[in-house]
Amino acid sequence: MEKNRYIAAIVGTGRIGFSLGFDKKREQPASHTMALLKNKRINLIAAADTNEENLESWRKFVKKHHSKKEFTLAFPTSKELYENVTCLDIITVAVNEDHHLEECIKAIEYKPRLVILEKPVALNSEEAEKIRAKAKECGVPVMVNHERRFAKDYLSIVKMIEQIGDIQSVVGELDSGLRIYGEEFEKDGTYSLLHDGTHLVDIVQYLFHCELKQPSVSGIFKDEKSVVRNFSAHYSSVVSSYGTIPEVTIKMSGRSKFFEFRIEILGTLGKICIGNGFAELFLRKESKLYTGFYSLTKQKLKLPKKTGYFSGMVQNAVDFLDGESELVSPLEDAISDLRVLEEIKAKF
């Protein structure tokens, strides 16, 4: 028996909402639109965006994707979308961070069966709590697109962790050329601690089922405009699903002339390194160099050709609506990530 399709709309047809789906270097689907269209259980019928050019490009593309029996609607505001479309099961909010609060609350008040919200939840935890309160009031579940929770390469290391013995330390590192933090960027969220740091904190808390609290922050470097460009946040005796981890470190650089996202997990029997486009496992073997010593030897890994990071998120939404799964990336976890970032920021 064929299952029913869920009717969806998207608010925001910019990069993450739509155009990253045309990036030939990225694993596809790489945008909300493309991921929704790819899932056979979802019928994406409408969008809203104040940018006329983006919206028209979206409308033309999605119209070609649909069969003759389906239709595509485009509106200059979400208000007009909700006034004219009355059958939505899923609403995806993919606008800039400074509009998350307003647009997510509008989507929740429409009372669809699910809201998918692009990360981070909001500019700060105070705004995020307003979203949580409205979601509770209206009985609308919200999932947040923390994509690495759905990526097969990151999920594959869970079994590897068992091979490296007791965990001694975890280091999450993000290097880029984007400013880490400056007070003047609070109003629109255009700083890396919020934009990229939310991914780093989220995947560490998710993989180890832990809460990062009360950091000591060192290595703070500020440029001539007092904008933070480097820091390291250290957490001691972190309680996790793998026992107590003596040290967890979150490091970020905003002075690097390259982009890197990586996590290194050091165990008593080996080490795991994973980041964008790679995963490595090192296990102890009898040393070829020194008698009576053991060295780390890189193991051969067979990783999935595609991680399914975006399509996996949308499939989780479908499974949730079918009553077959819990949300893998619920709103509550994403708010926890914001609080971690705010504790770090307070040390600057």
Side-chain angles (χ1 to χ4, degrees):
M1 180 175 156
E2 186 175 350
K3 294 183 178 180
N4 293 332
R5 298 179 74 187
Y6 295 112
I7 308 301
I10 184 168
V11 178
T13 57
R15 280 170 52 81
I16 196 66
F18 177 50
S19 64
L20 287 181
F22 301 101
D23 187 335
K24 294 182 179 179
K25 290 186 176 181
R26 292 176 185 255
E27 177 189 320
Q28 295 296 333
S31 70
H32 287 280
T33 293
M34 303 309 185
L36 291 166
L37 289 174
K38 184 179 179 181
N39 194 294
K40 295 180 180 179
R41 294 288 310 287
I42 293 176
N43 183 13
L44 178 61
I45 67 165
D49 200 313
T50 56
N51 186 305
E52 293 182 16
E53 184 177 348
N54 288 350
L55 186 61
E56 181 60 14
S57 296
W58 180 93
R59 188 192 65 79
K60 287 180 178 179
F61 178 84
V62 177
K63 185 177 180 181
K64 289 180 180 178
H65 178 89
H66 279 167
S67 68
K68 293 180 181 179
K69 293 182 180 180
E70 296 172 320
F71 57 94
T72 305
L73 300 170
F75 301 92
T77 68
S78 58
K79 181 175 183 293
E80 291 174 78
L81 166 61
Y82 302 143
E83 287 174 347
N84 288 278
V85 182
T86 60
C87 57
L88 297 174
D89 299 301
I90 300 171
I91 298 174
T92 292
V93 177
V95 295
N96 292 337
E97 289 90 339
D98 51 338
H99 293 292
H100 277 200
L101 174 60
E102 175 188 2
E103 291 298 343
C104 192
I105 284 183
K106 285 181 182 178
I108 291 168
E109 289 177 337
Y110 178 95
K111 295 189 178 179
R113 296 181 62 186
L114 177 66
V115 170
I116 299 174
L117 176 61
E118 180 54 33
K119 65 80 195 170
V121 178
L123 291 176
N124 51 62
S125 60
E126 183 179 350
E127 289 190 355
E129 287 295 348
K130 292 179 181 179
I131 292 174
R132 183 186 351 219
K134 180 59 67 173
K136 182 178 180 180
E137 175 189 331
C138 295
V140 176
V142 177
M143 73 181 300
V144 180
N145 184 31
H146 280 123
E147 59 191 43
R148 287 170 181 81
R149 291 187 175 217
F150 306 94
K152 294 177 183 177
D153 52 350
Y154 278 87
L155 297 177
S156 70
I157 74 167
V158 173
K159 292 182 179 179
M160 298 182 203
I161 293 175
E162 300 171 357
Q163 301 179 56
I164 65 171
D166 296 333
I167 298 175
Q168 302 185 73
S169 66
V170 175
V171 179
E173 183 170 354
L174 194 148
D175 304 304
S176 75
L178 180 63
R179 56 183 170 258
I180 290 174
Y181 177 72
E183 188 175 350
E184 65 266 40
F185 307 113
E186 287 267 13
K187 62 183 182 300
D188 57 12
T190 54
Y191 58 96
S192 189
L193 181 65
L194 180 68
H195 191 266
D196 298 310
T198 183
H199 276 309
L200 191 60
V201 167
D202 183 75
I203 194 59
V204 169
Q205 293 201 128
Y206 178 68
L207 287 176
F208 299 98
H209 303 282
C210 66
E211 288 185 87
L212 300 178
K213 294 182 177 180
Q214 299 179 333
S216 62
V217 180
S218 63
I220 300 170
F221 176 86
K222 297 182 180 181
D223 63 19
E224 65 280 1
K225 296 182 180 179
S226 296
V227 174
V228 177
R229 294 287 181 175
N230 291 83
F231 79 88
S232 294
H234 309 276
Y235 301 84
S236 299
S237 301
V238 176
V239 178
S240 79
S241 55
Y242 298 94
T244 299
I245 304 173
E247 183 178 31
V248 174
T249 301
I250 300 294
K251 301 171 62 177
M252 290 183 65
S253 164
R255 294 191 294 158
S256 304
K257 299 185 184 301
F258 57 86
F259 183 84
E260 182 181 40
F261 185 109
R262 65 183 284 130
I263 296 172
E264 185 171 301
I265 309 162
L266 178 65
T268 53
L269 301 176
K271 179 173 68 174
I272 298 168
C273 299
I274 185 167
N276 290 353
F278 76 94
E280 299 171 334
L281 171 64
F282 299 85
L283 296 177
R284 78 168 202 148
K285 299 288 182 181
E286 189 171 343
S287 178
K288 296 180 180 179
L289 303 174
Y290 311 105
T291 301
F293 283 80
Y294 287 83
S295 301
L296 290 183
T297 302
K298 188 175 180 179
Q299 307 297 299
K300 291 184 179 179
L301 295 179
K302 187 176 181 180
L303 295 173
K305 291 183 178 180
K306 282 200 168 188
T307 69
Y309 68 99
F310 230 125
S311 54
M313 183 273 293
V314 171
Q315 185 58 49
N316 177 234
V318 170
D319 294 340
F320 172 77
L321 292 177
D322 284 345
E324 297 176 356
S325 174
E326 296 294 323
L327 291 177
V328 171
S329 187
L331 177 63
E332 290 73 17
D333 288 4
I335 294 176
S336 172
D337 297 331
L338 276 183
R339 295 196 185 283
V340 172
L341 298 176
E342 288 175 344
E343 280 199 326
I344 293 172
K345 187 172 60 177
K347 303 288 186 176
F348 296 158

